[in-house]
Amino acid sequence: MPDTVNNIAAEDHLDFENDVADLDRQMKELRRLTSIKGIDYSAETRRLHQEQVAQLKRIYSNLTPWQTVQVARHPKRPILTDYLHLMVKDFRELHGDRSFGNDRAIVTGLGQIGREKVLIVGQNKGRNTKEKVACNFGCPNPEGYRKAMAKMKFAEKFGIPIVTLIDTPGAYPGIGAEERGQAQAIAVNLAQMSRLRVPIICIVIGEGGSGGALGIGVGDRLAMLEFAYYSVISPEGCAAILWRDGSQAPLAAEALKLTSKDILKLGVIDAVIPEPLGGAHRNLHDNIYNVEQYIIKTLRDLKRTKLDNLLENRYKKLRSIGAASSEKLRRKTQAAADRIAVALQAISPRSKKVPAKV
Amino acid sequence: MGKEAKSNWDGFSLKPRREMPEGLWMGCPGCKHMLYRSSVEKNLSVCPECDYHFRIGADVRIKHLADEDSFAETLGDLTSSDPLGFKFRGTTYKQRLRDDEKKSGSKEAIRIGKAFIKGRGVVLAVMDPNFLMGSMGSVVGEKFSIAAEMAVEEKLPFVAICCSGGARMHEGVVSLGQMAKTSAAIARLDESGGLFISVLTDPTTGGVTASFAMLGDCTIAEPGAMIGFAGRRTIAETIKIDLPEGFQTAEFMLEHGFVDMIVHRKDLRNEIARLIDYCHK
């Protein structure tokens, strides 16, 4: 019987999945017995299989924030190259930032998703050690962000929509990165991406680590995979500062509200893309199909909007982050906006429309 | 001690003393001299010996920078709603906010408003290092964006005094969003042709450097200010070597091309006014 639920190796089980691993071992034993002794254990296997599905459902519907972080960092979790292979047709990678080098932690290129021609910008972590070292474990340097910007400008020129796939522990903290202006590179991306005259979809597919993630994460839609995380600081970093003990990361993860469910409630993201049972690493194809469908559907919506409105909506969306979390804050913001409107009216008597105050 | 205070002594001594009344004396981290607090304050909180620029709160900064009584504050009483309900080590973020409000006298880590600098009208945003290390949460982001919008609406130059440890952890991903928000507001100001002068003071790091602080049409830094993205400890732990002397200082940033000029605190008013004149259309 093909095992479609748990097609991962025994050593890839996370420490909170012991029950699932146990069932795995039992089923393996039954299969071995079947092949050696020719006894039909299919009924038992089916039962174990059902139980495993139930276990996975139970575990994955109640993941703690720290467990979510572990799933997001799972070594078998689909990374950018998987998406490029399975989701993007006819991918043409474009290299280099034209001023310093080619950062392999950020991959940019043209490709086709569904019927849409898009520019893909994504952070790549690498699968094996060699790849991981080559792309710096997914930690981009400034030239990576500048490459992304250069290619996005190119896409803007030809009206090609942009899809960014975010998966980084954070921008690289190194001497060279500081010398070449990591902060400035990210800042410029944030400002420019808010004004690019093409639709932009951003999806956090794994780790959304702070400014490094945000550096390619400003757009019309921001979505997250169900078990991805997105945070202002890594749980370890937060624990080291506030708890003065890096090993308190589970507590920090709890406090930071970094899971897709919580962030959706905070209004920072627009959608959560569901993952297959037991996380993306258990079923690559279904997961990537979900992402593909989200991109195709969202792109169709965004392309219907006029560019000026698109930009206006994007600004409003960014502008509303945090403001919506507090009624008090919103009221006061509104009051300030009203005051500005009134002041404006006083300055230019020719201004036509002043929003009516309720 | 009393004897010296009566004499014509000019305010600093070369010899550190063992017993010091609280608040009357301060040590200079730059040259290790003991300084008479009021003499330092008279000198714009700059060490008269070695030009070390002390960190100053938003109130003092506004006094130094704006023409007398010209600062008209906007949204001075906006406070954070604690979107995450953040708790840590037996205390809460709300409690921390209350403590720092008492400590700094500010309601949040930024103050915004219109002011005059040598008679030139500006929108001024000043960050306060005494309030949760000037970190950017939803209120800082919101107020900064409102200030940028005010500058757009009223066609005024926008001057921001940056002083921050970065994004505020206690508001999690909402703080992260403020980086995008403030940058978008500056992008709009830029598009409308407005002038944005960013002044980087000690310290400007993390999420604030990686958003509006680095987006100035003109970027000024105070001498010796610590300016960078990643924290020194994080970098040292990642690359496992000692960091070079003068790493992540204003001078380092000037050397590597990310700051237009380094300006002594006493010249800041002049320089800003001069820049505004140059850019005036």
Side-chain angles (χ1 to χ4, degrees):
Chain A
M1 185 175 173
D3 189 355
T4 52
V5 183
N6 195 38
N7 50 2
I8 60 170
E11 70 271 18
D12 289 332
H13 283 101
L14 295 165
D15 54 9
F16 53 88
E17 296 176 330
N18 282 336
D19 294 353
V20 180
D22 270 351
L23 289 167
D24 236 21
R25 269 192 292 279
Q26 288 177 30
M27 275 193 280
K28 208 169 162 191
E29 183 62 20
L30 286 180
R31 273 199 293 274
R32 195 178 65 86
L33 288 175
T34 310
S35 65
I36 294 172
K37 300 186 175 169
I39 311 168
D40 182 16
Y41 282 118
S42 62
E44 284 79 357
T45 315
R46 206 158 32 238
R47 191 184 56 75
L48 288 176
H49 194 262
Q50 276 166 1
E51 199 177 318
Q52 195 174 46
V53 170
Q55 286 284 6
L56 278 174
K57 268 191 193 149
R58 185 182 59 78
I59 295 172
Y60 275 78
S61 56
N62 297 307
L63 282 187
T64 65
W66 178 241
Q67 288 169 341
T68 308
V69 172
Q70 285 171 286
V71 175
R73 290 173 179 169
H74 196 283
K76 290 288 160 65
R77 193 176 173 84
I79 54 169
L80 182 74
T81 36
D82 298 314
Y83 288 86
L84 292 179
H85 286 148
L86 296 171
M87 182 173 78
V88 184
K89 276 175 278 180
D90 207 20
F91 181 66
R92 290 282 179 281
E93 186 171 351
L94 304 171
H95 299 85
D97 73 337
R98 300 295 186 273
S99 60
F100 182 80
N102 179 45
D103 185 2
R104 288 163 75 178
I106 291 187
V107 175
T108 53
L110 296 167
Q112 212 173 332
I113 297 177
R115 287 181 176 174
E116 297 288 350
K117 286 182 224 152
V118 294
L119 175 85
I120 319 269
V121 177
Q123 284 149 338
N124 194 21
K125 280 182 168 173
R127 188 56 85 195
N128 52 43
T129 311
K130 201 178 149 202
E131 276 175 27
K132 278 185 178 147
V133 170
C135 51
N136 208 12
F137 299 86
C139 297
N141 273 298
E143 49 274 18
Y145 293 104
R146 298 204 174 103
K147 167 166 85 168
M149 198 65 246
K151 306 312 171 202
M152 287 193 276
K153 284 270 179 197
F154 159 70
E156 182 189 31
K157 183 174 171 189
F158 297 101
I160 305 168
I162 299 166
V163 175
T164 76
L165 300 176
I166 298 161
D167 188 12
T168 179
Y172 186 63
I175 292 181
E178 294 287 329
E179 285 173 345
R180 299 192 293 278
Q182 189 74 281
Q184 191 260 358
I186 293 174
V188 167
N189 276 21
L190 302 185
Q192 300 275 338
M193 284 181 89
S194 74
R195 310 305 296 163
L196 280 180
R197 298 183 67 82
V198 280
I200 306 174
I201 301 175
C202 310
I203 303 173
V204 185
I205 56 173
E207 292 187 85
S210 189
L214 193 66
I216 59 164
V218 178
D220 301 298
R221 293 285 184 278
L222 175 60
M224 270 176 87
L225 277 177
E226 198 177 347
F227 305 123
Y229 82 85
Y230 189 33
S231 176
V232 68
I233 182 169
S234 72
E236 289 88 347
C238 180
I241 297 172
L242 288 184
W243 278 263
R244 302 196 185 119
D245 176 7
S247 64
Q248 299 292 334
L251 283 178
E254 196 90 30
L256 282 168
K257 297 262 190 321
L258 41 66
T259 62
S260 60
K261 221 165 87 189
D262 286 332
I263 298 176
L264 189 69
K265 265 189 228 149
L266 289 169
V268 176
I269 56 169
D270 302 286
V272 175
I273 303 174
E275 286 186 33
L277 181 63
H281 55 285
R282 286 201 161 78
N283 194 336
L284 226 75
H285 289 81
D286 277 11
N287 178 63
I288 291 177
Y289 178 80
N290 289 349
V291 173
E292 183 179 2
Q293 289 308 306
Y294 175 79
I295 293 173
I296 292 171
K297 192 177 142 289
T298 312
L299 214 50
R300 206 188 299 138
D301 288 350
L302 291 177
K303 281 181 107 176
R304 281 202 208 110
T305 320
K306 259 196 219 153
L307 269 179
D308 288 334
N309 296 343
L310 192 76
L311 258 64
E312 189 56 38
N313 292 343
R314 191 186 301 164
Y315 183 72
K316 275 193 193 139
K317 191 175 97 75
L318 293 172
R319 194 66 184 72
S320 73
I321 298 174
S325 65
S326 148
E327 186 56 35
K328 197 171 147 198
L329 189 68
R330 192 162 51 212
R331 272 208 313 274
K332 287 187 173 167
T333 311
Q334 187 56 46
D338 288 345
R339 272 208 290 280
I340 290 171
V342 170
L344 251 188
Q345 193 186 23
I347 290 166
S348 65
R350 271 174 295 164
S351 73
K352 284 172 209 154
K353 276 188 200 159
V354 171
K357 211 176 161 187
V358 183
Chain B
M1 205 58 81
K3 195 178 128 205
E4 280 161 328
K6 268 181 237 156
S7 71
N8 281 341
W9 186 63
D10 63 355
F12 47 88
S13 149
L14 301 178
K15 235 194 266 168
R17 288 175 173 268
R18 217 167 276 161
E19 286 165 41
M20 286 167 292
E22 265 305 303
L24 198 58
W25 295 81
M26 58 203 290
C28 170
C31 57
K32 309 283 182 242
H33 281 164
M34 294 313 294
L35 306 167
Y36 204 39
R37 185 178 288 277
S38 69
S39 81
V40 173
E41 275 163 13
K42 258 181 232 149
N43 197 27
L44 302 176
S45 293
V46 175
C47 171
E49 276 288 284
C50 68
D51 273 352
Y52 177 85
H53 285 51
F54 286 92
R55 289 177 187 172
I56 49 176
D59 283 349
V60 183
R61 174 70 72 175
I62 291 166
K63 236 178 255 162
H64 289 173
L65 207 58
D67 296 349
E68 214 177 336
D69 293 331
S70 73
F71 183 71
E73 190 166 3
T74 310
L75 290 173
D77 53 357
L78 204 58
T79 54
S80 171
S81 65
D82 186 14
L84 304 189
F86 198 94
K87 291 189 188 76
F88 62 104
R89 281 194 306 142
T91 174
T92 60
Y93 171 45
K94 282 239 150 128
Q95 185 57 43
R96 197 58 215 280
L97 286 174
R98 278 195 291 272
D99 293 350
D100 278 37
E101 188 183 325
K102 264 187 222 138
K103 199 175 84 189
S104 67
S106 295
K107 288 247 177 191
E108 253 294 341
I110 194 169
R111 304 184 67 173
I112 59 166
K114 277 184 273 180
F116 288 97
I117 294 179
K118 292 204 133 190
R120 285 102 178 146
V122 296
V123 175
L124 190 60
V126 180
M127 301 186 82
D128 195 334
N130 298 329
F131 193 97
L132 272 121
M133 208 48 248
S135 58
M136 173 161 67
S138 55
V139 174
V140 172
E142 183 69 25
K143 283 171 84 171
F144 186 90
S145 307
I146 287 173
E149 282 168 0
M150 264 159 58
V152 174
E153 306 279 6
E154 313 199 10
K155 299 197 170 15
L156 287 172
F158 182 26
V159 179
I161 312 297
C162 308
C163 180
S164 172
R168 189 174 294 171
M169 275 179 294
H170 314 75
E171 291 187 25
V173 79
V174 176
S175 298
L176 191 63
Q178 305 310 310
M179 289 170 64
K181 175 157 121 184
T182 50
S183 303
I186 290 300
R188 272 210 159 182
L189 175 65
D190 183 44
E191 239 178 40
S192 76
L195 170 66
F196 174 40
I197 298 176
S198 172
V199 182
L200 313 180
T201 69
D202 188 59
T204 305
T205 55
V208 168
T209 322
S211 56
F212 59 83
M214 277 290 160
L215 293 172
D217 295 304
C218 244
T219 309
I220 300 173
E222 280 196 341
M226 191 205 157
I227 304 164
F229 175 61
R232 289 181 70 96
R233 236 179 48 207
T234 318
I235 299 176
E237 271 168 27
T238 310
I239 57 176
K240 304 206 164 48
I241 55 167
D242 289 336
L243 297 174
E245 187 77 17
F247 182 64
Q248 285 188 331
T249 56
E251 292 73 18
F252 173 90
M253 294 303 275
L254 186 82
E255 185 76 15
H256 289 94
F258 295 103
V259 164
D260 285 303
M261 50 176 128
I262 294 179
V263 176
H264 193 284
R265 197 172 279 165
K266 68 179 181 335
D267 302 324
L268 200 54
R269 254 164 76 80
N270 278 331
E271 286 302 322
I272 291 174
R274 203 77 207 107
L275 282 171
I276 292 172
D277 288 348
Y278 273 118
C279 302
H280 187 69
K281 283 171 198 164

